[in-house]
């Protein structure tokens, strides 16, 4: 099938061809004609399937067919969970709309709102936004959502995971009831199905990959290993395999920072990307990774969500996620666009239950290995004792710091301050 046969205008086809796309991806083949017909669409698609063009191209086609008189009003709203995803979608829209008269912009939090407000004032047809900043500007009366004809919810499952449900409900009250809705999600559990049915009207179902299964081209392996030896194992894989573009997932922001520092010490260029990093730091880390300057990008689930990293050969789960769906998201970043990829999970004795959860979701067993020289010896009891010891040390450290701040442990003044604080707490 060709893009031409999907019913898109010549101006859009020209932009698509300049992007180097020759044939539509499966999700584009299925979704574009339905959106053009005016149908609501419920799509099951991960990043890497071409879903962005799947909803933006037909939307741009429809909007360009009815040019506005005067200053454009916001007619399409694309909601996404993260700033990175918002910026990426906006970049795509800008490229696809090169030869048509449709204006767009993007807004997200963490940066100065004034430039965003100025662009909106000049008039835009499409607004790509994260929920928080959108509500913020609407509440300040700086934008109006009363002319919305299209609502797109991208990565809807992640928006729910991140607790955006209340924000989205507020947005729904601000936009006209009569509109076309498109909802994209990588996974479909009970919550997301319920959420989708509350928003969509008689939707067409479109699937890029069968529900809750992973891309066939991803080779998935798990290695049982002691917690304290994971960095050593990862370093060995990277160095001996000459891996030069590796995305590594950790469960926490601190974990991401720590691992990135350890890799740097081992002579492997690395950057961490997580929610505590500024927007600039995240953009810089991602750019370094894409250009090859940064060999390993260590990310938390939320930060990595929706990042467009084409043809990624290796995804490593340094720690497994406790939500099985996150595993599907993570490994959805490899084996993309026809290339094969490897997803490797380092599994500590305390993560075996997570593997079971993932296998249940996938409906298949994951291949498990022990690497020579890395025979695991940890037991759950040992890890629990270690965790309790660490916690006690941490608390002791905090007590000492507090005592020091309050004028020395045991001083009259310190004791008084502590007593006062305890009284106030009660
Ligand atoms: P997405 O799933 O929307 O994040 O897209 C993933 C990547 O595939 C992006 O880099 C797109 O530019 C690219 N892409 C989208 N559609 C096509 C297509 N039909 N042919 C080739 N590449 C595409």
């Amino acid at each position: 099938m060709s893009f031409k046969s999907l019913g898109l205008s010549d101006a859009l086809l020209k932009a698509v061809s300049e992007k180097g796309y020759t044939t539509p991806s499966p999700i584009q083949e299925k979704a574009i004609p339905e959106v053009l017909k005016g149908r609501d669409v419920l799509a099951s698609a991960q990043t890497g399937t071409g879903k962005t063009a799947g909803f933006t191209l037909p939307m741009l086609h429809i909007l360009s067919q009815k040019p506005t008189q005067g200053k454009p009003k916001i007619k399409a709203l694309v909601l996404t969970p993260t700033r990175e995803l918002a910026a990426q979608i906006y970049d795509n829209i800008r490229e696809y709309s090169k030869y048509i008269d449709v204006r767009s912009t993007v807004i997200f939090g963490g940066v100065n709102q004034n430039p965003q407000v100025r662009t909106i004032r000049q008039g835009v047809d499409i607004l790509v936004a994260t929920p928080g900043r959108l509500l913020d500007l609407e509440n300040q009366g700086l934008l109006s959502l009363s002319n919305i004809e299209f609502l797109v919810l991208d990565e809807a499952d992640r928006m729910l995971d991140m607790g955006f449900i209340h924000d989205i409900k507020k947005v729904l009250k601000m936009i006209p009831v009569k509109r076309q809705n498109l909802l994209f999600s990588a996974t479909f559990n009970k919550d997301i199905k319920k959420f989708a049915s509350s928003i969509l009207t008689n939707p067409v179902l479109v699937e890029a990959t069968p529900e809750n299964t992973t891309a066939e081209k991803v080779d998935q392996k798990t290695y049982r290993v002691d917690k304290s030896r994971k960095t050593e194992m990862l370093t060995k894989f990277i160095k001996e395999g000459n891996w030069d573009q590796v995305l590594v997932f950790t469960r926490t922001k601190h974990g991401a920072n720590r691992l990135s520092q350890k890799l740097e010490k081992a002579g492997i260029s690395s950057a961490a990307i997580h929610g505590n990093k500024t927007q600039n730091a995240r953009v810089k880390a991602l750019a370094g990774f894409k250009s090859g300057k940064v060999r390993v990008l260590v990310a938390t689930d939320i930060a990595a969500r929706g990042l467009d990293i084409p043809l990624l050969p290796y995804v490593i789960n340094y720690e497994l996620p406790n939500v099985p769906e996150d595993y599907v998201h993570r490994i959805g970043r490899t084996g993309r666009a026809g290339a094969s990829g490897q997803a490797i999970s380092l599994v500590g004795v305390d993560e075996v239950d997570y593997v079971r959860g993932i296998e249940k979701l996938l409906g298949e067993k994951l291949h498990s290995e022990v690497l020579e020289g890395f025979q695991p010896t940890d037991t759950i009891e040992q890890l629990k004792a270690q965790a309790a010891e660490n916690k006690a040390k941490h608390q002791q450290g905090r007590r000492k710091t507090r005592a020091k701040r309050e004028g020395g442990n045991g001083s009259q003044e310190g004791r008084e301050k502590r007593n006062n604080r305890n009284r106030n707490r009660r």
Side-chain angles (χ1 to χ4, degrees), residues 219-414:
D219 174 25
Q220 303 173 64
K221 264 190 197 155
T222 67
Y223 284 92
R224 294 290 304 276
V225 59
D226 283 343
K227 219 179 172 133
S228 59
R229 299 196 67 197
K230 283 187 174 184
T231 309
E232 195 187 335
M233 186 184 245
L234 178 62
T235 310
K236 183 179 164 73
F237 280 142
I238 295 173
K239 286 193 168 166
E240 291 183 4
N242 279 324
W243 294 358
D244 51 11
Q245 206 183 30
V246 192
L247 179 62
V248 180
F249 284 94
T250 59
R251 260 209 307 264
T252 65
K253 300 170 202 171
H254 288 304
N257 282 341
R258 260 199 314 266
L259 178 59
S260 176
Q261 283 158 7
K262 282 187 199 161
L263 290 172
E264 283 278 332
K265 267 197 195 136
I268 298 169
S269 61
S270 163
I273 176 166
H274 53 67
N276 280 4
K277 296 265 176 184
T278 62
Q279 174 67 359
N280 277 347
R282 289 204 242 179
V283 168
K284 207 172 136 207
L286 186 61
F289 187 58
K290 281 187 176 177
S291 74
K293 244 192 271 165
V294 171
R295 199 164 162 191
V296 180
L297 189 67
V298 188
T300 56
D301 287 291
I302 286 179
R305 195 68 183 146
L307 291 184
D308 178 20
I309 307 161
L311 302 179
L312 197 57
Y314 302 102
V315 168
I316 308 297
N317 295 306
Y318 185 83
E319 286 153 338
L320 280 176
N322 44 8
V323 179
E325 279 85 357
D326 280 345
Y327 176 86
V328 178
H329 287 303
R330 289 179 178 189
I331 76 159
R333 333 202 134 263
T334 181
R336 304 168 62 169
S340 66
Q342 273 203 342
I344 293 177
S345 306
L346 311 188
V347 183
V349 66
D350 54 338
E351 294 171 293
V352 173
D353 280 349
Y354 298 155
V355 177
R356 298 219 179 93
I358 292 163
E359 289 177 335
K360 207 167 144 206
L361 177 72
L362 298 177
E364 62 177 294
K365 273 237 161 305
L366 292 178
H367 180 74
S368 169
E369 282 186 34
V370 171
L371 194 66
E372 209 184 314
F374 285 83
Q375 185 72 37
T377 57
D378 280 348
T379 62
I380 286 281
E381 290 69 30
Q382 269 174 346
L383 289 182
K384 275 187 183 156
Q386 181 72 50
E389 198 180 310
N390 288 346
K391 195 172 164 194
K393 264 193 208 151
H394 182 68
Q395 279 172 345
Q396 198 180 13
R398 279 177 53 176
R399 267 198 299 274
K400 270 192 188 152
T401 318
R402 201 185 298 142
K404 222 176 181 175
R405 217 179 28 233
E406 291 174 353
N409 207 1
S411 78
Q412 180 61 27
E413 194 190 353

Side-chain angles (χ1 to χ4, degrees), residues 3 16 19-28 45-55 57 85 88-89 92 95-96 154-155 306-310 336-337:
F3 271 105
V16 163
K19 281 280 285 175
Y21 306 169
T22 49
T23 42
S25 69
I27 189 97
Q28 292 163 359
Q46 298 176 8
T47 302
T49 52
K51 67 186 166 85
T52 317
F55 67 80
L57 288 173
L85 188 56
Q88 241 165 246
I89 294 174
N92 279 318
E95 286 170 322
Y96 302 144
D154 195 24
E155 309 224 341
L307 291 184
D308 178 20
I309 307 161
R336 304 168 62 169

Side-chain angles (χ1 to χ4, degrees), residues 3 14-15 21 30 40 62-63 68 103 154 158 161-162 178 202 204 227 229 237 278 341 348 355 375 393 396 426:
F3 271 105
K14 189 172 171 200
Y21 306 169
K30 291 180 206 158
D40 275 12
I62 295 172
L63 292 173
T68 6
R103 290 196 225 165
D154 195 24
R158 179 54 46 155
D161 287 352
M162 289 169 73
K178 195 173 164 311
N202 188 22
V204 191
K227 219 179 172 133
R229 299 196 67 197
F237 280 142
T278 62
V355 177
Q375 185 72 37
K393 264 193 208 151
Q396 198 180 13
R426 273 180 245 127

